[in-house]
Amino acid sequence: MRKKVIAGNWKMYNDLDATAELLNGLKKGIGNSEAGCTVIVCPPYTSLSLASSLLKGSIIKLGAQNMYFEEQGAFTGEISAAMLKSAGCEYVIIGHSERRTIFRETNGMINLKIKKALGSGLKPVFCIGETLEEREKGITNEVLKTQLEEGLAGLGEDDVNKIIIAYEPVWAIGTGRTATPEQAQEAHKFIRNVIGEKFSPAVAGNIIIQYGGSVKPDNAAELLKQEDIDGALVGGACLKADSFLSIIRSA
Ligand code: 13P
């Protein structure tokens, strides 16, 4: 039985005041009892330390939205895995489609980031997904397979056991156009099969595969009911405590 994982990707939203307001709202709504699912918030870098201190004693876990794969050095504007650890992060989103498209991240760079995150004790939330053009061409599965093979190249079963995969069809991100539960389930099943072939049936059976792309309080339950959907990576709807709490309750 895989425990559902609901993560909120805040993207480039929320200054320190808004961070405190949102986290206090979430803490109040969740309480300190053990939730039936794992809850992660991924604020921008500038809010991580504040979030870490506000979340002390809470079941809500902390993640970052990106990192660089080098240890340290002259990489102006970049943040290392060790810095994220020292700021209190347990998770890090890697390979989000906005990083891939706007900041030109390649599968090769994403692979280096995943390896560095794992080596530093961070759990990667590894994002993959096809564009609308790729879906319409009928090459969704090839695209997902390549992203998985190149992103996870050189990793062993023990490494992959620590990774969460987030399937985020690019055409569903921020568009209000969610994949249907059937479309999402089909992709998730395919992803799990690829993991089974590349690693082992046991790894495939345990790995958490989240769906992301216009997840809202009114569609979360239907998506989360699907056999191979183990959680959600939420963008817009995680910025208000009420709507994020409602999605957490669906899980
Ligand atoms: P939206 O929920 O706003 O579509 O964003 C999804 C996403 O990109 C989460 O990483």
Side-chain angles (χ1 to χ4, degrees):
M1 200 41 200
R2 296 180 295 267
K3 189 171 170 183
K4 299 252 191 286
V5 181
I6 306 296
N9 174 7
W10 292 15
K11 307 194 179 183
M12 199 172 77
Y13 290 98
N14 291 340
D15 61 13
L16 295 176
D17 286 345
T19 295
E21 192 184 326
L22 179 49
L23 291 180
N24 288 331
L26 291 177
K27 283 198 298 185
K28 216 162 119 199
I30 288 186
N32 278 327
S33 58
E34 182 64 34
C37 63
T38 302
V39 179
I40 308 169
V41 291
C42 302
Y45 291 138
T46 45
S47 290
L48 290 176
S49 288
L50 173 64
S52 172
S53 55
L54 288 172
L55 293 178
K56 285 229 163 67
S58 156
I59 60 155
I60 303 171
K61 298 180 183 302
L62 187 62
Q65 300 172 20
N66 180 36
M67 52 165 267
Y68 196 47
F69 51 76
E70 293 287 358
E71 182 70 26
Q72 59 179 15
F75 304 107
T76 302
E78 292 297 326
I79 301 278
S80 74
M83 290 169 188
L84 297 182
K85 278 287 281 185
S86 79
C89 290
E90 196 177 325
Y91 295 86
V92 57
I93 297 173
I94 293 182
H96 191 278
S97 75
E98 286 146 21
R99 301 288 327 164
R100 291 174 185 266
T101 53
I102 306 171
F103 302 101
R104 310 279 160 92
E105 283 191 18
T106 61
N107 288 330
M109 288 162 72
I110 289 162
N111 178 249
L112 291 175
K113 290 185 178 196
I114 290 175
K115 286 177 176 156
K116 189 68 189 177
L118 287 167
S120 308
L122 289 166
K123 295 175 199 151
V125 177
F126 169 38
C127 301
I128 59 173
E130 81 287 1
T131 63
L132 185 58
E133 198 189 351
E134 289 161 343
R135 176 161 283 263
E136 284 174 346
K137 270 197 215 150
I139 57 166
T140 297
N141 287 356
E142 282 100 304
V143 170
L144 296 178
K145 194 165 186 206
T146 303
Q147 289 174 338
L148 286 168
E149 283 176 351
E150 296 184 6
L152 300 177
L155 298 185
E157 286 192 30
D158 284 353
D159 297 322
V160 182
N161 276 329
K162 296 182 192 116
I163 293 177
I164 292 175
I165 294 177
Y167 168 61
E168 298 204 303
V170 180
W171 48 274
I173 296 178
T175 58
R177 190 177 159 191
T178 328
T180 64
E182 295 72 27
Q183 283 175 320
Q185 165 58 24
E186 193 186 339
H188 281 234
K189 192 172 178 182
F190 175 77
I191 293 164
R192 201 177 300 284
N193 285 341
V194 172
I195 296 295
E197 283 162 18
K198 199 170 156 47
F199 297 95
S200 73
V203 173
N206 286 330
I207 197 161
I208 297 294
I209 309 177
Q210 297 178 311
Y211 169 79
S214 297
V215 176
K216 306 282 179 231
D218 61 1
N219 61 24
E222 208 46 51
L223 287 159
L224 291 167
K225 244 193 250 165
Q226 306 302 309
E227 192 182 339
D228 289 292
I229 301 187
D230 309 315
L233 182 54
V234 184
C238 80
L239 296 172
K240 291 270 175 292
D242 283 355
S243 59
F244 194 49
L245 286 166
S246 158
I247 293 168
I248 292 165
R249 283 186 204 112
S250 305

